[in-house]
């Protein structure tokens, strides 16, 4: 099916700023995960939707520079994130779906300080920023706590703060609400809405991206639609309902 492009004025004007992908593809051995993705993402709030296996998380990992494209070109404000990871962490931060896949250190203080050390702060400077941030958040008593003593929602909060301390211009979120109960979802949504950064959220749930400025729909590693939530999400819901009437996801790659 042809891509439906319902372009925003800024996108149609061909702005350079933001996240630029030109013919980006990604292969894992002989399997094609993403193919011919061309986008210029300059909006403040961007959603990427699609079924499980559609390539959403891979696309986010490419944007973060965690993997390099198999083909095409990807730039974040002119920077190749895969080629210069040290510079990339100042430009873009990523929050994984499962905080246990992101957390490295045994205590809250160590986890929060790690990113600051990565961008060049001394141990004392990093510790000072961490203490100030946690005091302002009313969580100064957390600093010496074992990370594994935290709830899933608290771990997610910790990972988000660790990313935000590095002050990246763009924040990438992989299914940020999936593992949270309703109160934690409400708190996280409120915090995300107040952030000045560009936020890119991927989800299989259209409710998670209804407030975005722009929504990208991925299907089997290709662009299916691109436009405002009102333009993209009704068609996405209709297609998911149609597929839900089938007995199996036989069309998705294994």
């Amino acid at each position: 099916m042809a891509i439906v492009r319902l372009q925003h004025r800024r996108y149609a004007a061909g702005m350079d700023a933001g996240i630029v992908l030109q013919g980006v593809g990604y292969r894992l051995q002989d399997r094609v995960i993403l193919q011919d993705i061309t986008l210029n993402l300059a909006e403040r709030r961007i959603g990427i939707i699609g079924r499980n296996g559609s390539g959403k998380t891979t696309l986010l990992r490419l944007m973060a520079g965690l993997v390099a494209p198999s083909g095409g070109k990807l730039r974040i404000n002119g920077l190749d994130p895969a080629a210069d990871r040290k510079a990339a962490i100042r430009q873009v931060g990523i929050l994984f779906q499962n905080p246990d896949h992101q957390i490295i250190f045994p205590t809250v203080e160590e986890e929060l300080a790690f990113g600051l050390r990565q961008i060049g702060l001394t141990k004392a400077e990093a510790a000072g920023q961490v203490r100030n941030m946690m005091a302002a958040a009313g969580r100064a008593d957390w600093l010496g706590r074992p990370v594994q003593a935290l709830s899933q929602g608290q771990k997610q909060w910790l990972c988000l703060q660790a990313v935000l301390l590095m002050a990246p211009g763009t924040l990438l979120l992989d299914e940020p609400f999936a593992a949270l109960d309703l109160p934690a979802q409400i708190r996280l949504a409120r915090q995300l809405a107040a952030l000045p950064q560009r936020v890119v959220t991927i989800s299989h749930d259209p409710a998670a991206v209804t407030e975005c400025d722009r929504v990208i729909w991925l299907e089997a590693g290709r662009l299916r639609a691109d436009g405002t939530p009102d333009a993209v999400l009704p068609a996405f819901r209709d297609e998911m309902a149609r597929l839900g009437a089938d007995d199996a996801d036989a069309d998705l790659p294994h």
Side-chain angles (χ1 to χ4, degrees):
M1 182 177 293
I3 301 168
V4 179
R5 287 196 186 274
L6 302 158
Q7 296 170 318
H8 294 274
R9 189 171 301 168
R10 287 198 293 174
Y11 178 75
M15 284 186 64
D16 296 328
I19 306 169
V20 178
L21 302 94
Q22 298 175 347
V24 166
Y26 185 76
R27 287 177 172 268
L28 188 60
Q29 297 178 346
D30 60 346
R31 180 183 169 194
V32 176
I33 309 297
L34 292 169
Q35 188 169 354
D36 194 27
I37 305 296
T38 295
L39 294 165
N40 186 334
L41 303 177
E43 291 76 14
R44 184 169 174 268
R45 294 291 183 265
I46 299 160
I48 301 175
I49 58 170
R51 290 185 286 166
N52 292 338
S54 62
K56 304 187 304 299
T57 295
T58 298
L59 181 57
L60 216 66
R61 288 171 62 83
L62 285 167
M63 292 178 183
L66 299 178
V67 294
S70 302
K73 185 171 79 170
L74 189 154
R75 298 291 184 269
I76 306 288
N77 297 326
L79 173 74
D80 181 344
D84 191 346
R85 285 289 299 136
K86 188 171 183 179
I89 63 175
R90 294 177 176 271
Q91 296 281 344
V92 60
I94 186 169
L95 187 68
F96 297 136
Q97 178 177 349
N98 185 343
D100 290 323
H101 295 165
Q102 188 154 355
I103 291 168
I104 301 173
F105 291 93
T107 69
V108 168
E109 185 172 14
E110 290 173 297
E111 186 65 30
L112 289 170
F114 175 68
L116 294 172
R117 297 299 307 279
Q118 292 293 103
I119 62 172
L121 272 67
T122 67
K123 185 176 181 179
E125 289 169 339
Q129 284 205 23
V130 168
R131 286 194 298 267
N132 290 341
M133 184 277 290
M134 292 297 279
R139 291 175 169 87
D141 60 320
W142 283 29
L143 289 172
R145 287 190 189 182
V147 171
Q148 293 309 314
L150 303 180
S151 70
Q152 195 76 355
Q154 289 169 336
K155 289 178 183 177
Q156 188 83 321
W157 183 89
L158 174 66
C159 290
L160 177 60
Q161 303 317 306
V163 172
L164 292 178
L165 275 169
M166 294 184 283
T170 296
L171 186 62
L172 308 175
L173 309 177
D174 185 357
E175 301 280 3
F177 305 106
L180 304 180
D181 61 20
L182 189 55
Q185 289 181 29
I186 293 169
R187 287 191 291 268
L188 178 59
R190 183 171 63 245
Q191 183 175 12
L192 294 176
L195 293 177
Q197 283 93 343
R198 174 183 294 112
V199 178
V200 180
T201 303
I202 69 169
S203 183
H204 62 271
D205 181 3
V209 299
T210 54
E211 299 301 318
C212 288
D213 302 308
R214 181 175 176 188
V215 174
I216 311 298
W217 175 5
L218 283 184
E219 185 71 26
R222 290 179 173 270
L223 292 177
R224 175 71 177 267
D226 174 4
T228 65
D230 287 345
V232 174
L233 294 181
F236 177 77
R237 292 189 183 97
D238 288 347
E239 179 66 3
M240 296 306 102
R242 184 188 71 78
L243 292 169
D246 294 337
D247 290 332
D249 297 327
D251 57 316
L252 280 180
H254 298 287

